Structure formats: structure tokens, C-alpha cells
Amino acid sequence: MAGRTVSGYVDDRIADRLNALAQAEARSPANIVGQALGFYVALPEAARTSLRRIESMATSDEMRWFQTEFMRLLFKVDMGVTQRKMAKEMGANLPDASTEEEIEKASVEWTNGLAR
Amino acid sequence: MPGNPFRLCVDLNVWVNNYLAVAKNLRGTASQFIVDAVQDGRSGVGPIQLIVSHTMLSRLMEVLVRKGASLDSAAQFISLIENIARLGPSCDFPYVVLGGGFIPTQDARIPVYNPYDPAANPKPYDPEDGRVIDVAIAGRADALVTANFRDFTERHDTVISRGRVHIRHTANHDLYVVQPKEMSTWLRTGNRPTPSSPSEGADPVAHDDPPSLPNPFSKT
């Protein structure tokens, strides 16, 4: 990927974790750093300030809570993205239903009779 | 975390219902509210723990792929549901229920037919179907939400609202079996469903099901 090289310093613990992650995800450490940096610099200034304050002042419980809530949000957004992708893939297989009752009926039909 | 989490088993048709509502650009359906609450891990009942099994996940994937979803998308969808369960608040991994079928649903019952009749063409049955309620019981779920309600009724159930909210009694544990609309109201308000009329509350379930074996663990 064309781009510029930037350098930064991290402590040994983060460097070790970065290498382990890169190995587990079959990516280069530089690729992961690029993604993380892209996410951070895309945040509004107020969010970056809050993030810095959380990292420097939050207790371990607060940090764990923050991470859990952040993961929930990620999963929720990913679920929406995945469902939209599946809707495209299914196309004409989607039922001709427009009301909640019709959709409920279709969902029961889809999941019933799996033995057949 | 204050209090015990509300343990909720979400049947496959509710996940599909939510997906179809999203695909059809519907907003505010009961299933969407339920799935939202499960994703948020909280609602009017307090913290919510999703109860699910590997069998349920693989069957949901089968449905989605059969209907045209790519393996990649369906696998990601399933993986997200698993992640929600693992995230907590109780951090339950998907269950593996061995044996199963202890309390068979209608689809899980072996149809009775004459094996010596060459013309016999028995209706297909689905032994895996009974495992949804087994998972809910094994996971000590407070409630099982399903739109396929008729399949989950049993004559020993206590009726809170006929065909909408029943209570399944097992050893040391009662399981609410609830339709999505009633479940979304329960989650929204935090108020457990109560009998809607004086005549309801402890009636046996009236339906055309073939008689099932008595439940040895029933409290009644």
C-alpha cells in the first residue's frame, strides 16, 4: 500500500502485544498500527480528549467497563453491516413481507421444518 | 454488577425476524427491540445475559445459507451472536447440550405410523428442535422468547396469557415461554407478565397436541 512512514514509541508490553496480535491475525505490525492510527485520528477532538483522560485517569474497573461497552458497540454496528450484506446476497429470496406480522410469519416458516 | 442478570434464550425465529425487519427497513418491531436489548446487555429488567447453544447457531447458519447468504456473511452473523453471549454480563459460552430432546417440541416428536404398511409415508420429524427448550433449561434461562409458540406449549404449563405467555415448570426452575411482543414489553417495562384475566393463571394448556409423557419433575 502506498503511503508514508511515521514512527512512534511504545513500551515493551505494547510492542510484545502488537507482535502477538500481528501473528495471530496474519498481518504485519505496521498494518495494525496503520489501522489503529487511522481510527484515532478520525475521531473528533472531544472524543480524543476523553480517550486520553480515560487512559490516564480511569481505574481498572472503569477501563474494563469502557472496553466492554466499546465491544458491544462494535458488535452492534458489525451486526447491522452483516445483515445489510446478507440482504443483498439473498435478494429475491427475501419474503414478500412488509408488516411486522408478515415478517414474523415468514421467520417462523424459514426456521420450521429444518428436517425436510 | 448489581443483581442477577436476566437470562434470555432467543429462539432462531426471533433472530431471523430481526434480520428480515432490518432487510425490509422496518423500525421498532418487537424482535428488533429484543435483539437490541440483548446486544446492549441491558434493558428495563436490568442486565441481560444471552443463552444460546452451538446447535442453535449452526442451525441458524444453515437457514441463512439455504436462503442465499454467503458462507462468509452467515458465519460472521453467527460469530457475532456468540460474541454477544460471551461478552456477558455472565460471560456464558454457547452451550452444548448432550442428549437433549428431554422435553420434545411438536416438530421433535417421532410421528406414529405403521412400519409394516408399505404405503406409510411418515411426516419428517426434527429431533434437534427440542433442544432449544433444553438449552433454555440447561442455561437456567428466565425466559425463552419464540414466535413459534405452539411448538413449545405443554399441557403442564401454567398459562399466564393463553398462547402468548406460559410457564414451563422443571426441577427447581421455572421457564417463561413468551411471544416476542410480550417479551419486548417485559424488557421495556421490567414488569413480569401477569395473568390478563381472572380465568387465566393456572389453567392447563388447551391444544390439539398428542398427549406427552408426564413430566416427572413437574411441581404440580
Side-chain angles (χ1 to χ4, degrees):
Chain A
M1 187 178 76
R4 287 161 56 184
T5 301
V6 295
S7 62
Y9 292 99
V10 292
D11 62 31
D12 286 344
R13 187 180 59 86
I14 293 177
D16 290 345
R17 186 143 174 74
L18 174 63
N19 285 330
L21 277 180
Q23 201 166 10
E25 296 177 11
R27 301 161 69 189
S28 68
N31 185 266
I32 293 176
V33 170
Q35 186 187 14
L37 203 57
F39 175 78
Y40 182 79
V41 300
L43 289 174
E45 193 275 334
R48 292 197 306 274
T49 303
S50 287
L51 198 53
R52 283 198 303 276
R53 287 171 58 79
I54 289 167
E55 280 179 343
S56 63
M57 295 162 63
T59 64
S60 57
D61 280 350
E62 287 167 337
M63 185 55 93
R64 197 163 40 247
W65 179 78
F66 166 67
Q67 286 172 347
T68 303
E69 292 303 303
F70 185 62
M71 284 166 70
R72 278 195 196 287
L73 188 59
L74 284 177
F75 295 159
K76 199 169 185 174
V77 175
D78 194 1
M79 180 77 88
V81 170
T82 305
Q83 290 186 129
R84 201 177 64 235
K85 184 165 176 265
M86 284 199 302
K88 263 189 190 167
E89 291 165 350
M90 288 189 192
N93 282 341
L94 288 173
D96 185 20
S98 54
T99 65
E100 184 170 0
E101 288 70 29
E102 288 170 344
I103 284 177
E104 185 169 292
K105 189 164 172 272
S107 65
V108 171
E109 284 169 4
W110 275 30
T111 51
N112 258 356
L114 286 166
R116 286 180 277 275
Chain B
M1 184 165 293
N4 291 327
F6 185 85
R7 301 174 67 78
L8 180 60
C9 186
V10 179
D11 196 7
L12 306 187
N13 55 65
V14 178
W15 289 108
V16 170
N17 194 329
N18 169 70
Y19 159 64
L20 291 178
V22 171
K24 293 284 180 179
N25 288 320
L26 256 66
R27 296 279 183 275
T29 69
S31 292
Q32 284 173 307
F33 186 88
I34 292 162
V35 170
D36 264 359
V38 166
Q39 287 180 311
D40 291 341
R42 69 177 82 83
S43 74
V45 296
I48 299 177
Q49 172 62 49
L50 174 64
I51 304 298
V52 72
S53 72
H54 285 291
T55 304
M56 289 170 71
L57 292 174
S58 63
R59 286 161 70 80
L60 181 55
M61 181 153 167
E62 182 189 336
V63 170
L64 295 171
V65 170
R66 186 190 294 177
K67 291 294 181 181
S70 67
L71 270 176
D72 181 51
S73 301
Q76 179 61 16
F77 187 72
I78 298 311
S79 158
L80 285 165
I81 295 173
E82 180 181 342
N83 287 340
I84 293 164
R86 289 172 58 178
L87 194 57
S90 300
C91 307
D92 283 33
F93 281 73
Y95 283 75
V96 175
V97 180
L98 300 176
F102 170 64
I103 302 176
T105 62
Q106 281 191 348
D107 276 358
R109 291 189 186 114
I110 301 172
V112 179
Y113 72 101
N114 180 358
Y116 301 107
D117 179 1
N121 183 19
K123 186 176 158 249
Y125 75 105
D126 185 2
E128 298 284 328
D129 198 53
R131 297 193 178 173
V132 173
I133 206 154
D134 287 333
V135 170
I137 291 166
R140 302 193 63 76
D142 293 288
L144 162 67
V145 56
T146 180
N148 193 14
F149 198 85
R150 196 171 176 275
D151 266 9
F152 290 98
T153 56
E154 209 255 350
R155 62 181 57 248
H156 297 96
D157 290 351
T158 295
V159 177
I160 298 297
S161 172
R162 194 174 302 283
R164 309 297 303 179
V165 182
H166 291 191
I167 304 175
R168 176 67 52 88
H169 302 285
T170 63
N172 303 318
H173 181 61
D174 288 346
L175 171 72
Y176 278 71
V177 183
V178 190
Q179 290 266 14
K181 279 207 173 91
E182 282 71 12
M183 192 71 244
S184 70
T185 304
W186 186 356
L187 293 178
R188 189 176 287 118
T189 62
N191 298 327
R192 194 178 289 266
T194 50
S196 50
S197 69
S199 63
E200 290 180 325
D203 292 350
V205 181
H207 52 59
D208 303 329
D209 291 354
S212 59
L213 292 171
N215 180 352
F217 297 114
S218 173
K219 285 179 178 173
T220 53

